[in-house]
Amino acid sequence: MSPWVKDAVCRYGFAIASTVAVTWVRIFLSVSLEDRVPFALYYVSVLLTAWVGGSGPAVLALVMGIFATALWVIPPEGSLLGGDPAHLVALFVYGLVGVVAIVLFRRNDEEHALSQQHARNCDAMSKQLSDSDRRKDEFLALLAHELRNPLATLRTGIEYMERPNLESHKRREVRRSMRRQLEQLVLIVEDLLDVSRYLRGGLTLKREVIDLRDVIDRAIEMVRPQIDSNEHDLKFSRPAFPAAVNGDPLRLIQVVTNLLSNAAKYTPRQGRIRIFLDSEPTEMVLHVVDNGIGVALESQNAIFELFTQANASSTRESQGLGIGLALVKQLVEMHGGQAAVSSEGPGRGSRFTVRLPAADPALMTEPTPELSGVFAALPSPPPTDRGRPTRVLVVDDNVDAARTLASLLKLDGYAVRAAHDGCSGIEQACAFKPDVILLDIGMPGMDGYETARRIRAQRIDPRPTIVAVTGWGSDRDRAQSQAAGIDIHLVKPIDMAELNRAMATVDRGAAECV
């Protein structure tokens, strides 16, 4: 028996049982009640049935009560229409009142169900608002972090360039680092603006027939600094045939750039990234394959949603704004194509696939997109010449940031070494015995907190002062720094005057977080 049938049998069975019970009680009391108040007990049956079983069973109880009263209560017994006309009028009134009662019960049930639905909707909306507020806070924190990293290199580089008597090759090296970080800022700002345009419906395409191979070549040029800094093995299996598509060259470069940047971000140092381009009868198919951290099966459907990161671990390594892949999906769909991801699971790498409608190669033109942007000069405070320790270790996975900061510290008279991951930082700390360690927090593999804990466990003498130089600056981050044995917590982009003052005035062995 199905649950629906079982429920119906129970509800209508209650109506029958309650009517039979009331009829038995009415017959039992007939000696004392005679024909007075012949219907009162049947109201009890109708109301109880409406409350327990609903309006349908209540109607059955009402009809059965009318028949039972006519047959066994109102004289003469066994007659439905005979007897005193007053009894017939009373019977009609009983039926009418019963119908009104059933209607009121039904309306009350509907209002109760509606109020429950409203309550559920309110709970769901409250949860959505809470999730939205949480994701907004996370996004703003991530945005601040992503902006602070390139800004740190720019501020340090500007201070470096302002120093007199710089060697020309050093100046060129710093300029190249600054240019790469400016390009990173351009990409972040462009992605943010494009998301805003898309949500407002203002994102448009300037389409022409182009060779997708050229688009991929240009995208590789744009992400080359990121690829090189992570020592990734990037190869593009460039086909001999022209890969003609009808699209906006700038937007398609943006698609491929975001895919490659995502692959570089979630692939460990010296990892492998491959680009394949296949031709199908009606489509051009682009594959970006890496051997990085992979994507869990339950996360693959959500990875193209706004503000979603593939790795939201407490170490915060490899996090971005969560808009790059969302833009990829939006832009590809605007071109009439599809974007998808496949992965065998965490640690098994990822394959991102983009399908675009093929076009006639005879109509192909050369893409000539240009990036542009306006940048304001960053103010630079004058350096300080206060007393300071002489041996400094810089630990930062951002090679540009580490090299630029190390170069600037050398100009100030420090003996400086640099490391680009936690393990190397521990080894350098034991060998170099620095007075001060400038430590990034959001490093891949071993984060800055764990690095600091392991350095403290080495009991290096003299005890180095550990300064967190990071894009994370909340109260929780500062508390984590203090718990890990970090003495000072500075937020990127750091002010060199502030850093000099901190290193000059810190009391070694004190554990404070400023």
Side-chain angles (χ1 to χ4, degrees), residues 392-395 405 409 436-440 467 469 499 503:
V392 181
L393 173 62
V394 179
V395 184
L405 181 57
L409 291 170
V436 173
I437 300 174
L438 303 181
L439 180 63
D440 184 31
V467 180
V469 180
L499 178 60
M503 292 198 298

Side-chain angles (χ1 to χ4, degrees), residues 8 75 88 128 135 152 251 271 276 354 379 484:
L88 296 178
Q128 289 177 355
R135 293 178 71 181
R251 297 305 179 189
F276 303 98
V354 170

Side-chain angles (χ1 to χ4, degrees), residues 162-224:
E162 288 180 343
R163 300 300 173 87
N165 303 322
L166 287 179
E167 297 178 7
S168 58
H169 72 279
K170 287 289 186 180
R171 191 183 296 272
R172 285 194 300 271
E173 182 179 337
V174 172
R175 278 202 301 264
R176 283 195 294 268
S177 296
M178 294 173 66
R179 182 175 291 108
R180 286 194 292 267
Q181 298 305 316
L182 280 173
E183 289 173 354
Q184 181 64 27
L185 278 176
V186 169
L187 293 177
I188 292 173
V189 173
E190 287 294 333
D191 281 351
L192 289 171
L193 292 176
D194 285 340
V195 166
S196 177
R197 295 186 192 108
Y198 180 81
L199 294 176
R200 297 195 317 267
L203 192 60
T204 59
L205 301 179
K206 298 178 181 179
R207 303 179 73 158
E208 55 186 287
V209 180
I210 55 176
D211 192 337
L212 197 54
R213 296 176 302 175
D214 296 331
V215 168
I216 297 171
D217 289 339
R218 179 67 184 275
I220 291 174
E221 291 176 11
M222 295 183 65
V223 300
R224 177 60 66 183

Side-chain angles (χ1 to χ4, degrees), residues 426 439 441 443 446-458 466 481 484-486:
I426 296 170
L439 180 63
I441 297 300
M443 297 185 295
M446 185 189 303
D447 67 2
Y449 300 129
E450 181 62 23
T451 303
R453 281 190 287 267
R454 296 194 184 188
I455 289 175
R456 291 301 186 211
Q458 299 297 321
I466 302 180
S481 290
I486 295 173

Side-chain angles (χ1 to χ4, degrees), residues 371-415:
L371 289 176
S372 62
V374 178
F375 304 98
L378 299 174
S380 176
T384 178
D385 290 322
R386 297 189 182 186
R388 67 205 116 176
T390 58
R391 302 166 71 85
V392 181
L393 173 62
V394 179
V395 184
D396 195 328
D397 65 305
N398 188 316
V399 177
D400 282 340
R403 287 177 178 173
T404 307
L405 181 57
S407 297
L408 186 58
L409 291 170
K410 287 177 181 177
L411 286 178
D412 283 342
Y414 293 99

